[in-house]
């Protein structure tokens, strides 16, 4: 079935690292994505990783993929107040659509 | 270059009416997908268009339809609106029609059905 799972909430202190976890379902998913949604806005593509990779780093963002466990994580280094948002994990299904998790609301506290 | 543009951003309709939403993809992108976002169901795939053809469709009733024009702009239509159709409708564009690809989303059209 299509059921990407994420924890719903994460609170982190400014300057610390945030880690958002996701479990996906389709072992044939070729790409896995992280999107960010701020209030009243659409989805912003943060990063994605190809399924034959274990890790991808892009500035403050690090994506880790454990294909055996179907586990994906997003680490945000030096979390800032502007990082407060909802973060969605998504997997490709049948190569044409994305199946999204429910989203993790990240709150950055001073 | 300009991102994905969706119009209108906000609209209010009453039950039984119909609505048309528009999406202009990023220049050069030929694939347009539509998603519905609601608090209860999250993000759900509606359909995908590529080169004016609907390539894939999600699990939505026939009241939801769409089309794509030769310039890749897309519209989606919802007829006989129901209260449950209140949602944020997101359009996404990409270069390729299938396979793994970067999908860029617009700001969405927020529909409220009264």
């Amino acid at each position: 079935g299509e059921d990407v799972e994420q924890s719903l909430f994460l609170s982190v202190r400014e300057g610390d690292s945030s880690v958002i976890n996701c479990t996906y379902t389709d072992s044939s998913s070729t790409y896995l994505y992280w999107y960010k949604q701020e209030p009243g806005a659409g989805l912003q593509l943060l990063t994605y990783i190809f399924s034959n990779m274990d890790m991808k780093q892009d500035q403050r963002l690090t994506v880790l993929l454990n294909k055996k466990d179907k586990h994906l994580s997003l680490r945000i280094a030096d979390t800032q107040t502007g990082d407060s948002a909802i973060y969605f994990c998504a997997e490709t299904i049948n190569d044409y659509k994305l199946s999204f998790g429910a989203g993790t609301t990240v709150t950055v506290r001073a | 270059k300009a991102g994905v543009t969706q119009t209108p951003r906000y609209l209010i309709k009453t039950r039984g009416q119909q609505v048309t939403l528009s999406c202009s993809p990023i220049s050069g992108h030929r694939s347009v997908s539509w998603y519905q976002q609601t608090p209860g169901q999250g993000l759900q795939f509606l359909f995908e268009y590529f080169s004016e053809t609907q390539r894939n469709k999600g699990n939505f009733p026939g009241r939801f339809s769409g089309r794509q024009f030769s310039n890749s702009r897309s519209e989606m239509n919802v007829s006989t609106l129901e209260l449950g159709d209140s949602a944020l409708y997101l359009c996404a564009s990409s270069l390729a029609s299938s396979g793994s690809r970067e999908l860029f989303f617009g700001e969405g059209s927020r529909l409220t059905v009264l």
Side-chain angles (χ1 to χ4, degrees):
Chain A
E2 302 166 13
D3 199 5
V4 177
E5 294 189 352
Q6 304 177 235
S7 52
L8 294 182
F9 301 100
L10 175 67
S11 178
V12 62
R13 191 189 304 271
E14 189 176 10
D16 287 351
S17 291
S18 308
V19 179
I20 308 168
N21 294 299
C22 166
T23 303
Y24 63 97
T25 58
D26 189 349
S27 58
S28 65
S29 289
T30 44
Y31 277 70
L32 296 129
Y33 300 81
W34 284 103
Y35 282 89
K36 175 184 180 183
Q37 187 175 37
E38 297 183 62
L43 298 177
Q44 175 192 351
L45 176 62
L46 285 178
T47 187
Y48 60 95
I49 187 168
F50 188 47
S51 58
N52 69 351
M53 298 171 64
D54 297 326
M55 186 182 86
K56 180 179 179 181
Q57 188 153 3
D58 184 1
Q59 298 182 339
R60 292 192 298 124
L61 305 178
T62 303
V63 179
L64 295 178
L65 175 60
N66 181 329
K67 202 171 177 183
K68 173 178 169 291
D69 295 336
K70 298 195 190 88
H71 184 264
L72 183 74
S73 69
L74 174 69
R75 178 177 178 269
I76 305 172
D78 187 25
T79 310
Q80 303 297 308
T81 55
D83 295 324
S84 292
I86 303 175
Y87 291 80
F88 292 93
C89 165
E91 62 175 335
T92 47
I93 300 292
N94 296 331
D95 272 350
Y96 68 84
K97 69 175 182 179
L98 298 186
S99 177
F100 288 87
T104 300
T105 299
V106 173
T107 303
V108 181
R109 59 188 193 278
Chain B
K1 62 186 174 185
V4 178
T5 304
Q6 292 188 245
T7 56
R9 290 289 315 278
Y10 304 91
L11 65 167
I12 300 173
K13 294 284 187 178
T14 56
R15 281 180 296 173
Q17 286 187 310
Q18 66 128 21
V19 67
T20 300
L21 308 177
S22 178
C23 171
S24 293
I26 292 171
S27 178
H29 285 194
R30 296 171 64 192
S31 172
V32 173
S33 302
W34 289 88
Y35 288 79
Q36 180 197 63
Q37 185 178 27
T38 60
Q41 298 297 315
L43 284 149
Q44 302 286 321
F45 171 78
L46 280 157
F47 24 64
E48 182 202 12
Y49 288 87
F50 181 79
S51 293
E52 302 178 65
T53 301
Q54 185 183 91
R55 298 292 292 265
N56 298 287
K57 191 177 192 309
N59 189 25
F60 278 81
R63 299 184 298 106
F64 291 81
S65 63
R67 59 179 174 167
Q68 187 180 32
F69 302 94
S70 58
N71 62 358
S72 294
R73 190 177 71 85
S74 177
E75 288 181 348
M76 67 163 281
N77 185 77
V78 188
S79 62
T80 320
L81 284 165
E82 300 176 1
L83 295 179
D85 297 333
S86 294
L88 180 66
Y89 290 88
L90 292 162
C91 166
S93 78
S94 65
L95 276 171
S97 69
S98 63
S100 307
R101 62 206 193 270
E102 291 178 299
L103 215 61
F104 296 95
F105 283 81
E107 296 289 297
S109 292
R110 184 166 296 281
L111 170 65
T112 301
V113 182
L114 302 175

